[in-house]
Amino acid sequence: MALIVQKYGGTSVANPERIGNVARRVARHKALGQQVVVVVSAMSGETNRLIGLAKEVMPNPSPRELDVLVSTGEQVTIALLAMALQELGVKAKSYTGSQVRILTDNAHTKARILKIDEERMRADLDQGYVVVVAGFQGVDEAGNITTLGRGGSDTTGVALAAALKADECQIYTDVDGVYTTDPRVVPEARRLKSVTFEEMLEMASLGSKVLQIRSVEFAGKYKVKLRVLSSFEEEGEGTLITFEDDKQMEQPIISGIAFNRDEAKITVLGVPDRPGIAYQILGPVADANIDVDIIIQNVGADGTTDFTFTVHKNDLSRALDILRDKVQGHIGAREIIGDDKTAKVSVVGVGMRSHVGIASQMFRTLVEEGINIQMISTSEIKISVVIDEKYMELAVRVLHKAFGLEEV
Ligand code: ASP
Ligand code: MG
């Protein structure tokens, strides 16, 4: 008998009526003879509301108590969905993360799953129950409630699918799949029938927020068959996330254009061109837990060089303070400049591995629009450029067209 794990996001369970729709969909799968485990998020907006409440009481809420609080959002939706299923005459039982025993480490608000006890779920499934599990939460060794980071219900879904060796993990959301780019920027964007894990990882990390990135990593590691679908459409096959080696067909060269408005650029001008400088600049930044993305150092001239890197816009002022206070004088840099009017645009595709000339086609397309490239970074399946934020949408549109990604 096929076993599937379905995950429904916050907009899919936003009110009792939608919870009823989810229950009907689950019932249809049950009627096909499938065993179903359902993971749900909190009602949309609920997690934010709870975090807001916490901050009114304590500006910097303690992580342990925050987890106790925000995990209640999912406890509401599992109970309501189990009731909605029972109302349809479907046997259903709900479980919190700790009741299942989704064991995590103790890193509150960003815990990682260590182990899942599946016996209880298995026993229920064998007795014909639909098992409804709260997303986003777990419990540590000492019994403290933990949560998995924003968007963590995706990871719960994939982790349960891995633990139960499910035939498929279906992520139901408010879009009907993964697109070649954001349709709000390019109306001609096309739904992809399939995309590889590596491409999905790149796109997720580049800001295409369909899936929590950790869920994709998890699925890749445990070879979980993952599908993204719309919970608002009756039919539709969504987007299947595949492994490259599964694929018989030749890959399209480029699968999508990703973009990210969240990166800011920092330039350290006139640093001495000697060993250890990169470490002296980035060490204190890393110590402050600030993530660095693209890094560029120019070849030196006259014994000095410039060093440029990007950080999240939220971290820009903190990073500049650290560099000006702790680093500039120490290494004798001339000036430190921050620029938050930047955006990153990337073309992604595993087909790049076997095709040359993608970078030059990308750069030609941008120059034809007079768009200046400030930074470039590449990997085997991705080319990213940092450009002026005000040209971001234009860049995405022209690249989408240049690589022939539009709806045919
Ligand atoms: N409710 C949590 C959040 O809003 C987890 C999730 O929805 O995946 O981040
Ligand atoms: Mg989500």
Side-chain angles (χ1 to χ4, degrees), residues 207-347:
S208 310
K209 298 202 173 57
V210 188
L211 290 173
Q212 193 201 33
I213 186 158
R214 265 166 68 189
S215 73
V216 184
E217 287 165 1
F218 218 102
K221 189 161 161 204
Y222 294 98
K223 294 250 169 183
V224 175
K225 198 168 153 199
L226 194 60
R227 192 185 289 278
V228 177
L229 303 128
S230 165
S231 62
F232 298 111
E233 284 172 13
E234 287 302 312
E235 298 299 323
E237 59 189 48
T239 300
L240 183 66
I241 323 249
T242 59
F243 297 93
E244 205 176 334
D245 24 310
D246 293 350
K247 285 209 141 186
Q248 305 302 327
M249 305 175 290
E250 202 186 334
Q251 291 291 337
I253 302 173
I254 301 299
S255 291
I257 314 286
F259 54 84
N260 184 351
R261 303 171 210 262
D262 295 336
E263 276 183 49
K265 186 178 73 172
I266 296 177
T267 306
V268 184
L269 289 168
V271 296
D273 189 13
R274 60 172 153 76
I277 287 294
Y279 174 63
Q280 284 173 45
I281 293 173
L282 294 180
V285 175
D287 290 344
N289 251 322
I290 296 174
D291 273 336
V292 170
D293 182 26
I294 302 181
I295 304 169
I296 289 179
Q297 185 188 303
N298 286 335
V299 282
D302 312 322
T304 68
T305 181
D306 301 335
F307 191 94
T308 309
F309 60 97
T310 62
V311 297
H312 193 284
K313 281 182 185 170
N314 292 344
D315 291 327
L316 176 63
S317 68
R318 211 154 54 91
L320 288 173
D321 286 347
I322 291 169
L323 291 169
R324 286 178 181 141
D325 295 350
K326 296 197 187 145
V327 178
Q328 185 169 8
H330 187 60
I331 62 172
R334 188 170 75 244
E335 199 183 347
I336 294 174
I337 305 172
D339 179 1
D340 65 356
K341 299 280 178 291
T342 52
K344 185 169 74 171
V345 176
S346 313
V347 300

Side-chain angles (χ1 to χ4, degrees), residues 126 145 374:
D126 288 343
I145 293 175
Q374 303 178 9

